[in-house]
Amino acid sequence: MYQFHNTGLPILMISAGMLQAKKVNNPAATWHRYLNYGLLGLATRLQEHGYSPRVFHGHFDEPLSFVQNLHAAGRLDTSAPILLSVPSSYALAWARKVCHAIKELRPSAKIVVGGRWVTADDGQWVRKQLPGIDLVVYGTADHFIHHLLDASNWQKVVQADMSIFPRIDAGQSEVLSRLDYRLLDGFDAFTPSFEVSRGCGRKCGFCAEGVVPLTTMKSAVALADEIEACQAVYGDASIRAFFEASFFSPSTDWISRLRNEFADRQISMKWRTETRVDNMAPSQVRELAKAGLRVLDLGLESASPQQLRHMKKTPNPTAYLRRASDLLKACRDEGVWAKVNVLLYPGEDQHSVSQTSEWLDQHADCIKGVSAGPLILYRYGQATCDFLNEIGSLGARPVSPGDLDSHGFTELHLSASMSHEDAVGAASALSRSVMSARDYFDLKSFSYFPRDLTFDQFSASLSERNQANLPFAISSARRCAADMALQ
Ligand code: SF4
């Protein structure tokens, strides 16, 4: 159906940055380097179609300077549309300024906007947010990314707002992205990621991945091939990595294949991934640690049975918390750093926060760090309205209802007895009760901080700041037991 003759055509791909960090009180927040691995995966596919893509991240760069630098480097001089990925509603304000600057400097440029968690199926609203853009794309674009490069085809692309056909969600690609780091501008500032699965399907009430089925995992052979190619680009066999999965759920057979593959190729990479707390057996942690697992991000969310039910995390909180406890102890014993995520949710009160706090205290020797925060409600098509009604029945209400339309997200008062401000304070206290500055630095520098940032530089940035707002305790000299297990 489609014909392309533009092989070798340069393609500019931009991952939108932010005007300011989400956590404005944390001076380290602007050092984060979040890789938009979805965009890099699309770039790799375009390269396979014969194009010459290049991926740029906005980070916290000033938008006008960012565009001027691209212009000075000749990056805007392409007849292909510019592909702009907006990974979060927090990036919309930055994206708006960048779109404006691009159109000022090059009025004929066409801008295609994607980012499935932001665009949902709401092209009209996205166009209001980003005036002057030319196409809004929905869902994941793996199947049709190359069709977006010729504007005469846009009406035939089903997952876009100009489509003449009714929208059919093509679902997720079963073929997971391969990432070619040569296409990423400034690649060596990032800790590389490898996509190992997509989706989840476990139906937590607050999570859009809950209704997206879990794919099969990337094969150990394909993963090892990709790691070797990446190590060659970085010129460094000791780089660490993130195995990207919303719900990392390997079978025992997959783990054993990975171990064999790594052993055969002498890969000794340390890596990090993310999973539920009630899904992984201690014996699997032992085997994964032998395959290089070093950091496990765990979505505990709460230790309050009431809150776990409210958020539909589990119908059986007792079994859930018992399995969480077993998993954390296995991490401690195998020298795997456990980073526990906590979500303060609608219906929260002082009692439920205390239950979580006590549980974390009881497991403090197994935990390297805690990332805690109150639920933020993001606009996501029709689902937003239904979810707002659901959490309203738990006593939650938006701090500024108009923000959903004007910004794409809103903060929430969680219950009659817990305002948003109270929840932010309670979340910080939960993190600080367990995590030292060293813990925080170790976890962040494993994957998110620039690879050359030292602990001394990090510490120096903290000295003048308001320590009460930080998510870690500066004075604590705590060492978690997983640190000891490695000595
Ligand atoms: S287990 Fe995690 S990824 Fe899956 S639905 Fe729940 S929060 Fe989302």
Side-chain angles (χ1 to χ4, degrees), residues 125-253:
W125 177 75
V126 177
R127 284 177 185 271
K128 222 167 66 184
Q129 287 287 321
L130 305 174
I133 60 171
D134 297 280
L135 185 72
V136 180
V137 179
Y138 307 141
T140 51
D142 307 78
H143 297 292
F144 58 85
I145 183 68
H146 52 297
H147 298 332
L148 299 175
L149 299 180
D150 181 346
S152 68
N153 288 318
W154 285 354
Q155 291 190 327
K156 298 179 220 159
V157 175
V158 173
Q159 287 179 230
D161 72 334
M162 279 178 62
S163 179
I164 52 173
F165 302 113
R167 184 179 175 210
I168 303 167
D169 195 333
Q172 307 219 58
S173 172
E174 274 293 323
V175 182
L176 296 164
S177 290
R178 190 177 64 77
L179 306 177
D180 186 338
Y181 281 86
R182 292 172 301 179
L183 308 179
L184 175 63
D185 192 70
F187 68 86
D188 50 357
F190 292 89
T191 297
S193 287
F194 302 97
E195 188 178 38
V196 295
S197 69
R198 289 187 187 180
C200 171
R202 294 296 294 265
K203 297 192 171 65
C204 300
F206 56 89
C207 177
E209 287 279 52
V211 293
V212 181
L214 182 63
T215 64
T216 49
M217 291 187 73
K218 182 175 278 176
S219 76
V221 173
L223 182 55
D225 284 348
E226 213 177 327
I227 288 170
E228 283 185 329
C230 180
Q231 288 175 332
V233 173
Y234 277 71
D236 181 357
S238 69
I239 47 168
R240 296 172 294 205
F242 209 119
F243 286 4
E244 298 284 356
S246 297
F247 175 29
F248 182 75
S249 183
S251 65
T252 302
D253 183 52

